[in-house]
Amino acid sequence: MKKNLQELSNEELLKEAKGKKFLFGVYLGLVIVMIVSGIITTIEQGVNTFTFIPLAFLGISMVFWSNYDKVRKEIKSRNLE
């Protein structure tokens, strides 16, 4: 269910921002772990599929960031910062 940010109350918008920030942080942490493990695997076994998997997940992290950025801009437009 996609939420229209303009229709949310101030409290709901701040809660949405907090949730999106948390999810982005967790996801980015997992991507960093995948990058580190990909580097270690590449050093030990050479280039293989696990070397490039984090690149696919970086694209998804950009979607998370974009969604969080939209919420931040709506908060800024309402002067809630």
Side-chain angles (χ1 to χ4, degrees):
M1 179 173 76
K2 187 146 176 136
K3 297 178 184 176
N4 188 359
L5 297 177
Q6 289 81 20
E7 295 175 357
L8 295 177
S9 69
N10 291 343
E11 293 81 22
E12 291 173 330
L13 188 63
L14 292 172
K15 185 177 178 182
E16 185 81 14
K18 188 176 181 180
K20 288 194 182 292
K21 184 177 181 179
F22 176 76
L23 284 175
F24 177 71
V26 168
Y27 189 81
L28 190 60
L30 292 173
V31 169
I32 290 171
V33 168
M34 285 193 302
I35 289 171
V36 170
S37 64
I39 291 170
I40 292 171
T41 303
T42 302
I43 291 171
E44 291 178 356
Q45 299 175 2
V47 177
N48 58 25
T49 307
F50 296 110
T51 304
F52 301 105
I53 288 177
L55 295 176
F57 286 93
L58 278 175
I60 299 170
S61 66
M62 295 314 232
V63 172
F64 277 116
W65 176 254
S66 173
N67 289 336
Y68 173 61
D69 195 43
K70 288 177 188 176
V71 173
R72 278 190 354 185
K73 286 179 182 177
E74 180 63 27
I75 289 173
K76 195 172 202 176
S77 72
R78 294 186 189 186
N79 294 323
L80 297 175
E81 292 183 304

